[in-house]
Amino acid sequence: MKLKPETVRIQHNFATYCRSGISKSIPGTRQNRIHHYRRLVFNVVKSTMKQAFPITHHLLGTKEWDELIHNFFEEHDCQAPQIWKLPYELLEYAEEISLAEKLNRPYLNDLLLFEWTEIEVHTMPDEEKPEFCPTGQMLEDPLVMNPEYRLIRLDYPVHIYSASEVTAKKGNYFVLVFRDLESGKVNFMNLSVLHAYLFEKAAIDEKNLLESIEEAAEIFHINNWKQLLKNSLKLFHEFKRQKALLGFKNYSCS
Amino acid sequence: MNGTVGIGFRRDLANEIINGNINPGFIEFAPENWMEMGGYWGKVRRKAAEQYPVTCHGLSLSLGSPEELDWNFIEQLKKFLDENNVRIYSEHLSYTKSANAHLYDLLPIPFREDAIQHVAERIRKVQDYLERPIAIENVSYYTPVAAEMDEATFVKSILEEAGCQLLLDVNNVYVNAFNHGYDAKEFISKLPLNKVAYIHMAGHEQVESDLIIDTHSEAIIDPVYKLFEWTIGQMKPVPVLLERDFNFPEIPEMNREMDQLQNIIYKHWEVNHEAKA
Ligand SMILES: [Fe+2]
């Protein structure tokens, strides 16, 4: 490297000051100016995070929130060259430092994950659009699900209840977050464990619905076959209506 | 694109630019804000790139870092530049990464001999990999850091050592001249104006009696228009870009600023009044 160790040290000290506010001696600087750099750096990071996590920001209030962002930026080495990916690193950081426990808000990690997933699904790279037939047999034909989705599992139903109610509702919740292929709009569906299972069977294993329901009946010990069939069909018609299910692999169509 | 006025392609302006309410000669993407992004904004970016010639102005390459270059990032960047048929790629003469952490802002490189050698070598490496020249932008800075020379000498030396182009930000020259008490025209005279790939123009904010911050949140002020007019009188036609990042005005006001730049251009450069691109 062509940089002298002294120049490297000066540059690191300058950056460290911006992150921590701790000023080591940086020769040849104007002392009444460098605080603007720290202010400008934090403006950018704070506004990015506030935009990414509006609910968490509102919930924590300015003091707790500012402290979180300051600690995050000082303690965590931000890796994303693209700042719009940085909110994911806050989510990882929160898990690392057990933020939810520290702030006595057990649902906090779920809330951060939920807010991040909306951004992720809105911005993630396009998947190749699969071929499908708009009409077909819901039970027998292989289904073509929307490939642009994330299925997340939460302990706390932060997508349904407000913070004051959510702690008492600990359980096993699934949220399907998917992107409308035409408009790019992000949609959400609250799913039970059984419904999440059926969705993944269709999306990943490419099983037809009837096979998946049969498997589900066994795994979840469901005896009321008629009711299961009826509910599952209702669910997949709803997937279709909301375009989480695009259509059918039905070769007569092409 | 030479002699045309372009605009920084921001989300707040995207629809107005695509539907032609703002009709620039070219657009400029910050590649970091668009690369690897699909969905709604991916579509918007593709549409805009089909309609207008494109330049790119990078944010995170961090040419001035002591760090290793991030080759994964540069690989993605190359893909983006190729996909969008980018005519000019520029980056800041600053650093945004230190001790393995991004800071997302433009930190001032010490104006030192070893920094010249270091930065120039990095520029050459990236130019080789991208198979295109980089235009390096003179940035605003609010304090010198352990300087051994003045800014003009530093910028000029980097251009010579790296064999790269210059993105001349006229507003940044004005800001720095004000903040550090030097003569803006004298500064510009010291630069190799034949290496200018394009020009940036922007507004700024005066926050103290002796400090201007380069915010891109206000309209261009008259002294910066005057400095621009004087500058383009010294050089051959290049593209000129209006940067606006915050506090967006009404559309007619944006168009008025672009028209004002275009009218100054018509006065000094022989450019076709019809052909915008
Ligand atoms: Fe600029």
Side-chain angles (χ1 to χ4, degrees), chain B residues 30 68 83 93 124 138 142 188 249 266 268:
Chain B
E68 278 295 304
E83 263 172 31
L93 187 49
R124 284 196 303 267
N138 58 301
Y142 311 116
I188 289 172
Y266 288 150
H268 292 272

mmCIF file of all heavy atoms in Angstrom, chain B residues 30 68 83 93 124 138 142 188 249 266 268:
data_model
loop_
_atom_site.group_PDB
_atom_site.id
_atom_site.type_symbol
_atom_site.label_atom_id
_atom_site.label_comp_id
_atom_site.label_asym_id
_atom_site.label_seq_id
_atom_site.Cartn_x
_atom_site.Cartn_y
_atom_site.Cartn_z
ATOM 1 N N ALA B 30 -27.481 7.492 -9.196
ATOM 2 C CA ALA B 30 -26.505 7.028 -8.206
ATOM 3 C C ALA B 30 -26.634 5.510 -8.253
ATOM 4 O O ALA B 30 -27.643 4.964 -7.801
ATOM 5 C CB ALA B 30 -26.843 7.552 -6.829
ATOM 6 N N GLU B 68 -9.041 -2.038 1.400
ATOM 7 C CA GLU B 68 -9.035 -2.729 0.115
ATOM 8 C C GLU B 68 -10.270 -2.306 -0.688
ATOM 9 O O GLU B 68 -11.312 -2.015 -0.105
ATOM 10 C CB GLU B 68 -9.121 -4.243 0.337
ATOM 11 C CG GLU B 68 -7.801 -4.896 0.673
ATOM 12 C CD GLU B 68 -6.807 -4.809 -0.483
ATOM 13 O OE1 GLU B 68 -7.125 -5.260 -1.584
ATOM 14 O OE2 GLU B 68 -5.709 -4.257 -0.253
ATOM 15 N N GLU B 83 -25.581 -2.719 -18.268
ATOM 16 C CA GLU B 83 -27.025 -2.916 -18.498
ATOM 17 C C GLU B 83 -27.732 -1.625 -18.878
ATOM 18 O O GLU B 83 -28.689 -1.638 -19.646
ATOM 19 C CB GLU B 83 -27.681 -3.424 -17.206
ATOM 20 C CG GLU B 83 -27.857 -4.912 -17.134
ATOM 21 C CD GLU B 83 -28.324 -5.326 -15.753
ATOM 22 O OE1 GLU B 83 -29.051 -4.541 -15.069
ATOM 23 O OE2 GLU B 83 -27.934 -6.411 -15.341
ATOM 24 N N LEU B 93 -14.001 12.278 -5.104
ATOM 25 C CA LEU B 93 -12.627 12.263 -4.597
ATOM 26 C C LEU B 93 -12.717 12.416 -3.071
ATOM 27 O O LEU B 93 -12.531 13.501 -2.509
ATOM 28 C CB LEU B 93 -11.822 13.398 -5.231
ATOM 29 C CG LEU B 93 -10.324 13.410 -4.928
ATOM 30 C CD1 LEU B 93 -9.687 12.056 -5.166
ATOM 31 C CD2 LEU B 93 -9.620 14.449 -5.772
ATOM 32 N N ARG B 124 -6.854 3.725 -11.216
ATOM 33 C CA ARG B 124 -6.381 2.968 -12.386
ATOM 34 C C ARG B 124 -6.896 1.526 -12.352
ATOM 35 O O ARG B 124 -7.354 0.997 -13.362
ATOM 36 C CB ARG B 124 -4.844 2.972 -12.429
ATOM 37 C CG ARG B 124 -4.240 4.297 -12.901
ATOM 38 C CD ARG B 124 -2.770 4.122 -13.284
ATOM 39 N NE ARG B 124 -1.973 3.580 -12.183
ATOM 40 C CZ ARG B 124 -1.292 4.314 -11.290
ATOM 41 N NH1 ARG B 124 -1.309 5.640 -11.383
ATOM 42 N NH2 ARG B 124 -0.601 3.750 -10.324
ATOM 43 N N ASN B 138 -14.461 16.769 -7.749
ATOM 44 C CA ASN B 138 -13.977 17.581 -6.639
ATOM 45 C C ASN B 138 -15.123 17.743 -5.639
ATOM 46 O O ASN B 138 -16.221 18.138 -6.009
ATOM 47 C CB ASN B 138 -13.529 18.958 -7.146
ATOM 48 C CG ASN B 138 -14.641 19.701 -7.863
ATOM 49 O OD1 ASN B 138 -15.177 19.218 -8.862
ATOM 50 N ND2 ASN B 138 -15.014 20.875 -7.357
ATOM 51 N N TYR B 142 -15.217 20.586 4.650
ATOM 52 C CA TYR B 142 -15.474 21.621 5.658
ATOM 53 C C TYR B 142 -14.284 21.860 6.572
ATOM 54 O O TYR B 142 -14.298 22.776 7.370
ATOM 55 C CB TYR B 142 -16.751 21.263 6.431
ATOM 56 C CG TYR B 142 -17.859 20.927 5.464
ATOM 57 C CD1 TYR B 142 -18.424 19.660 5.390
ATOM 58 C CD2 TYR B 142 -18.277 21.894 4.536
ATOM 59 C CE1 TYR B 142 -19.392 19.364 4.447
ATOM 60 C CE2 TYR B 142 -19.242 21.599 3.583
ATOM 61 C CZ TYR B 142 -19.787 20.333 3.555
ATOM 62 O OH TYR B 142 -20.729 20.043 2.603
ATOM 63 N N ILE B 188 -10.132 27.045 -10.438
ATOM 64 C CA ILE B 188 -10.551 26.382 -11.688
ATOM 65 C C ILE B 188 -9.463 26.519 -12.765
ATOM 66 O O ILE B 188 -9.220 25.579 -13.526
ATOM 67 C CB ILE B 188 -11.913 26.946 -12.159
ATOM 68 C CG1 ILE B 188 -13.007 26.463 -11.204
ATOM 69 C CG2 ILE B 188 -12.223 26.537 -13.591
ATOM 70 C CD1 ILE B 188 -14.365 27.080 -11.410
ATOM 71 N N PRO B 249 -38.558 21.546 -5.177
ATOM 72 C CA PRO B 249 -39.536 22.595 -5.466
ATOM 73 C C PRO B 249 -40.601 22.082 -6.434
ATOM 74 O O PRO B 249 -40.544 20.936 -6.876
ATOM 75 C CB PRO B 249 -38.666 23.653 -6.155
ATOM 76 C CG PRO B 249 -37.614 22.874 -6.861
ATOM 77 C CD PRO B 249 -37.365 21.640 -6.026
ATOM 78 N N TYR B 266 -26.155 28.207 -24.196
ATOM 79 C CA TYR B 266 -26.356 28.718 -25.563
ATOM 80 C C TYR B 266 -25.516 29.966 -25.834
ATOM 81 O O TYR B 266 -25.084 30.207 -26.940
ATOM 82 C CB TYR B 266 -27.836 29.034 -25.807
ATOM 83 C CG TYR B 266 -28.721 27.811 -25.943
ATOM 84 C CD1 TYR B 266 -30.063 27.851 -25.551
ATOM 85 C CD2 TYR B 266 -28.220 26.623 -26.477
ATOM 86 C CE1 TYR B 266 -30.879 26.742 -25.677
ATOM 87 C CE2 TYR B 266 -29.032 25.504 -26.593
ATOM 88 C CZ TYR B 266 -30.368 25.566 -26.201
ATOM 89 O OH TYR B 266 -31.171 24.472 -26.320
ATOM 90 N N HIS B 268 -22.552 30.571 -24.708
ATOM 91 C CA HIS B 268 -21.100 30.351 -24.762
ATOM 92 C C HIS B 268 -20.664 29.182 -25.634
ATOM 93 O O HIS B 268 -19.530 29.135 -26.065
ATOM 94 C CB HIS B 268 -20.549 30.151 -23.347
ATOM 95 C CG HIS B 268 -20.623 31.407 -22.545
ATOM 96 N ND1 HIS B 268 -19.608 32.339 -22.560
ATOM 97 C CD2 HIS B 268 -21.607 31.914 -21.762
ATOM 98 C CE1 HIS B 268 -19.968 33.358 -21.779
ATOM 99 N NE2 HIS B 268 -21.168 33.120 -21.284
#
